[in-house]
Amino acid sequence: MPGTDGFAALVADGGICFGGDYNPEQWSREVWREDARLMREAGVNLVTVGVFSWAMYEPTPGAREFDWLDEVLEVLHGQGIGVDLATPTASPPAWLGVRHPETLPVDADGVRLVAGSRNHFSPASQVYRDAALAITRDLARRYATHPAVRMWHVGNEFGQVCHGDEAAGRFRAWLRDRYGDVDGLNEAWGTAFWSQRYASFDEVLPPRRMPYHPNPTQSLDWRRYSSDLLLGVYREQRDAIRAIDVSRPITTNFMGFFPLVDYTSWADDLDVVADDAYPDPGDPHAPSSSALRQDLMRSLRGGEPWILMEQAAGAVSWRPHNLPKSPARSRLESLQAVARGADGICFFQWRASRAGAERFHSAMLPHAGPETRVHQGIRRLGADLARLRSVTGARVRARVALLWDWSSWWAATEVARPTDRLDPLEQLRAWHRVLWADGVAADVVHPGTDLSRYDAVLVPNLYLMEPADAEALTAAVERGASLVVGPFSGVADANAQVRPGRFPVLLAGLLGVSGEEWAPLPDDGVDLIPSGASPVDGAGPARPRAAVLGELLRADGADVLATFGPGHLEGAPAITRHAPHTGAPDEGSAWYLGTVPDDDTLAAVLRAALDAAGVEPALPGRPGRDTRRTPGDDVEAVRRGDVLFLLNHSGEPARLDVPGNWTDLLTGTPVSDEVTVGPTDAAALLPAEAGHRAPAGLANQGDRQ
């Protein structure tokens, strides 16, 4: 793809993209020149411009005022700083909503929102879409050949939902395309229940405020439609740009595991995946949760490099209580993203805003100016990223797949379930946390992904399952992979209708276990009783426990590794392992967890499955310890290409065994067999035999620390 090649060329030309959102419309011309100089001195090479500039470009309907942007681009280009030029369509000018109230979104209560903030548009509004396309085309025509423009950025953090009449019409059209006729819709939605049957698509409405529970399939399809509707808005603007500029990469910014948009269905429409990430400094699991979303971003386009488009240099301003983030932690989070495949490290924003809702949001250049701890930290990071230029383009090689599906997540979190405490995303985080602690790389992939390159396939929760999904998991086990499946999986089909039979119906033969009842557990959980030489036995200092949900299971050939203790499920299998004996010479094993076990028990099961698959950690063993590290060590190990990244998220120095001879790319110092990584610090170790040539200009970057 030309755009994808364009991002690779951008990185090859300038190294890791480093910068952030820049809003010059908030400042005078004198400040523009000061900003560009300070950017250059900090090592900034790419800034996003124009995200919220629509009212400046088009102050009245049809007007075009671009002269100020011409000057901004010249100033930035004069300092060698590239521009990621945004379409300003995430925040229309107030006049659009005032003159055309039909462009404003309607919430589920039927209330039409007003202009005055941001995101004040309905993606279903044709008037909005026409106006957005017009400004996008004019921007592309004017700047497609400008040497400062290196990349295009469509909209901003797509996630708008509208329940109005125009949205209802588009929803009906989407349903016609999906089901063909109203009989198909009635069958898929199960409208015989509660007398919900429709005689015509014209009777179908969005899931607005209702007296009681909505139809779960209606809600699921609404979420699918809303994601597709936004994708259509993105595509219109992208295609308008691509018709004029055939080479520069085009992207938009994702938001991790965002619940309103299915990013797996969007990724192929982006030339490079970009993500906005704001981990909470007060969250003890923030490092592992960040690693998970970075693995997702890397995996969305098959392992290609991606961009951390936004993060905070210090504190954010939108939490009720905004804990600050130190420059050391900001640097470490940035290096973590590079370790997990990012070729771009950017922030919101360059210069702190004096006015508006984000006036207390941190920036690369704080209100107090460049002689500040935050800005000096930014300069240090710029020098670090220059030293890591040789890492660009390299891949993280993962032998473990974590299955994740947005539709399944949506369906599994609808109302009227056995429990609302079983959160698929929290399950994914808990399972990934074991891999993170052990230094085991994983790709986060969706059903339908080719699993042939993975030695272990982990399915924390896949509520929706189709026959093709089950066939792919079976094939993985037959060729020798370890499969681990979590509770409340394979419950329903793609229409969220429960599959009759002993669950999980499509996997019962593969797993050698089947269930008949979902049983939420008491608040304090229940004991798990290990069976025989189970890996669960002695997994942790405390007795094994089950929480949230249990399943009344029957072993149909599987080995029972643990049973439920006293209570409703007493004596029933809780954790099982099965070798299906299909006759395949290298057949693997299929493990099933019919509950949510404690952290130590979960880790024991996953480690046993990974051991059986021959999956090794990134960090070599340490004397007197297992090759894997236990959760809580807080030293993250991940390999990107030839480089071993060690990231110490703790407040204490960590001494680690690294057999062989290495060079730390961050310091240029040689390392032999052992390295000490300071608190909130990192090392990027390149094997000596791989060789290393410092990028041009590195000495100058180092002088800026």
Side-chain angles (χ1 to χ4, degrees):
M1 295 176 62
T4 301
D5 294 340
F7 179 68
L10 172 60
V11 173
D13 181 42
I16 294 174
C17 296
F18 177 51
D21 278 47
Y22 183 41
N23 299 292
E25 64 269 29
Q26 299 177 14
W27 305 99
S28 67
R29 284 174 167 78
E30 292 73 24
V31 174
W32 299 348
R33 286 161 177 75
E34 179 188 20
D35 282 335
R37 175 181 60 80
L38 291 172
M39 288 176 187
R40 178 184 57 78
E41 292 175 358
V44 167
N45 56 21
L46 185 74
V47 292
T48 300
V49 174
V51 172
F52 298 118
S53 299
W54 194 344
M56 296 291 290
Y57 298 149
E58 191 175 5
T60 57
R64 291 292 185 267
E65 296 187 5
F66 291 140
D67 290 349
W68 67 273
L69 183 60
D70 294 344
E71 186 174 348
V72 168
L73 296 185
E74 290 302 322
V75 169
L76 293 170
H77 185 59
Q79 294 287 357
I81 298 161
V83 171
D84 171 29
L85 187 57
T87 69
T89 49
S91 193
W95 59 256
L96 184 64
V98 172
R99 295 176 184 232
H100 300 280
E102 69 274 20
T103 66
L104 297 168
V106 176
D107 69 14
D109 288 322
V111 176
R112 189 174 294 280
L113 308 182
V114 300
S117 178
R118 71 181 213 186
N119 302 332
H120 47 272
F121 70 88
S122 166
S125 168
Q126 192 60 52
V127 172
Y128 161 76
R129 291 168 74 146
D130 289 345
L133 269 179
I135 195 68
T136 296
R137 289 194 181 103
D138 287 350
L139 273 172
R141 290 189 186 106
R142 190 174 184 99
Y143 298 111
T145 59
H146 196 291
V149 177
R150 304 301 305 272
M151 191 170 167
W152 293 94
H153 187 298
V154 173
N156 180 67
E157 296 184 337
F158 280 93
Q160 300 77 11
V161 177
C162 179
H163 291 74
D165 290 341
E166 198 166 359
R170 290 186 185 269
F171 184 38
R172 294 178 190 121
W174 185 92
L175 292 169
R176 286 189 187 95
D177 289 343
R178 184 174 180 85
Y179 296 114
D181 56 39
V182 74
D183 289 337
L185 178 140
N186 282 316
E187 178 66 24
W189 285 16
T191 55
F193 182 80
W194 278 355
S195 188
Q196 292 175 345
R197 185 170 184 82
Y198 298 99
S200 165
F201 280 108
D202 293 336
E203 299 173 358
V204 179
L205 293 171
R208 296 167 179 160
R209 189 70 60 201
M210 299 179 184
Y212 196 44
H213 298 325
N215 183 313
T217 313
Q218 178 189 17
S219 294
L220 175 59
D221 274 349
W222 172 255
R223 298 179 83 158
R224 289 165 167 160
Y225 147 80
S226 295
S227 178
D228 287 352
L229 180 67
L230 287 168
L231 178 56
V233 175
Y234 167 81
R235 284 173 171 168
E236 286 177 351
Q237 295 176 42
R238 178 207 60 187
D239 292 349
I241 296 168
R242 185 58 74 219
I244 299 167
D245 185 340
V246 299
S247 61
R248 290 176 180 83
I250 304 173
T251 191
T252 189
N253 39 345
F254 290 168
M255 293 176 282
F257 290 90
F258 182 60
L260 299 181
V261 175
D262 177 359
Y263 290 145
T264 58
S265 68
W266 281 55
D268 288 344
D269 285 279
L270 278 62
D271 294 321
V272 56
V273 167
D275 186 48
D276 295 353
Y278 294 94
D280 186 349
D283 179 4
H285 294 310
S288 61
S289 295
S290 293
L292 171 60
R293 70 185 288 157
Q294 291 161 4
D295 288 346
L296 170 68
M297 293 302 138
R298 184 189 69 245
S299 303
L300 285 172
R301 285 183 56 88
E304 291 180 3
W306 56 282
I307 302 173
L308 178 56
M309 187 64 79
E310 287 186 25
Q311 60 176 323
V316 300
S317 60
W318 40 263
R319 293 188 177 106
H321 187 63
N322 298 292
L323 296 181
K325 180 168 63 174
S326 70
R329 178 160 183 167
S330 178
R331 171 180 178 266
L332 188 62
E333 290 177 354
S334 297
L335 296 177
Q336 181 189 40
V338 174
R340 292 186 178 268
D343 274 357
I345 299 296
C346 298
F347 291 80
F348 180 85
Q349 58 182 326
W350 163 254
R351 180 182 282 270
S353 299
R354 293 179 58 203
E358 292 175 314
R359 65 202 183 282
F360 293 114
H361 194 293
S362 61
M364 302 168 77
L365 183 62
H367 292 297
E371 300 305 320
T372 53
R373 185 172 66 164
V374 166
H375 186 69
Q376 294 307 307
I378 289 295
R379 291 188 173 217
R380 180 189 181 192
L381 176 60
D384 286 327
L385 296 179
R387 294 184 176 95
L388 293 175
R389 182 169 184 164
S390 61
V391 177
T392 58
R395 301 289 186 101
V396 175
R397 292 183 287 272
R399 297 172 59 194
V400 178
L402 276 163
L403 256 62
W404 175 257
D405 179 62
W406 254 265
S407 283
S408 186
W409 180 26
W410 291 335
T413 52
E414 279 298 323
V415 297
R417 294 167 281 138
T419 176
D420 63 4
R421 300 180 187 179
L422 185 69
D423 182 341
L425 181 55
E426 287 306 311
Q427 292 302 295
L428 180 71
R429 286 173 174 156
W431 288 44
H432 181 272
R433 198 151 51 236
V434 176
L435 308 181
W436 174 83
D438 287 354
V440 173
D443 289 340
V444 182
V445 303
H446 59 88
T449 299
D450 180 9
L451 300 176
S452 61
R453 66 179 181 272
Y454 299 108
D455 297 316
V457 180
L458 309 183
V459 188
N461 177 266
L462 192 61
Y463 175 77
L464 302 184
M465 187 174 292
E466 289 295 286
D469 305 329
E471 291 166 6
L473 297 178
T474 299
V477 174
E478 287 178 344
R479 62 169 175 73
S482 287
L483 170 69
V484 188
V485 179
F488 212 51
S489 292
V491 173
D493 63 16
N495 294 321
Q497 296 194 18
V498 175
R499 293 189 179 277
R502 297 185 66 87
F503 62 81
V505 174
L506 298 178
L507 293 180
L510 177 63
L511 297 172
V513 65
S514 63
E516 60 188 77
E517 181 183 351
W518 296 286
L521 299 178
D523 289 346
D524 59 349
V526 301
D527 286 341
L528 288 173
I529 312 301
S531 304
S534 166
V536 176
D537 193 15
R543 63 187 180 187
R545 297 283 287 177
V548 182
L549 179 72
E551 297 177 344
L552 182 56
L553 302 173
R554 179 186 71 197
D556 300 318
D559 297 325
V560 177
L561 305 181
T563 59
F564 290 102
H568 184 76
L569 301 173
E570 184 171 3
I575 302 174
T576 63
R577 177 181 56 208
H578 185 226
H581 306 300
T582 61
D586 299 317
E587 186 178 68
S589 295
W591 308 62
Y592 187 66
L593 286 77
T595 189
V596 179
D598 63 86
D599 290 346
D600 289 334
T601 299
L602 174 64
V605 172
L606 296 184
R607 286 169 182 157
L610 296 180
D611 284 341
V615 175
E616 294 293 330
L619 182 65
R622 285 178 263 172
R625 297 194 61 177
D626 186 80
T627 55
R628 291 191 170 84
R629 292 170 289 108
T630 57
D633 275 4
D634 293 327
V635 179
E636 177 179 354
V638 59
R639 288 183 183 267
R640 182 178 179 188
D642 293 328
V643 178
L644 172 63
F645 283 85
L646 301 173
L647 304 122
N648 185 0
H649 298 279
S650 77
E652 301 293 332
R655 190 172 67 182
L656 305 169
D657 293 314
V658 286
N661 297 313
W662 313 74
T663 298
D664 186 349
L665 298 181
L666 293 172
T667 63
T669 59
V671 173
S672 295
D673 296 328
E674 184 179 277
V675 64
T676 296
V677 183
T680 320
D681 203 353
L685 304 183
L686 179 72
E689 60 270 20
H692 174 63
R693 180 173 60 84
L698 179 58
N700 291 336
Q701 290 282 3
D703 291 343
R704 297 180 188 141
Q705 289 189 61

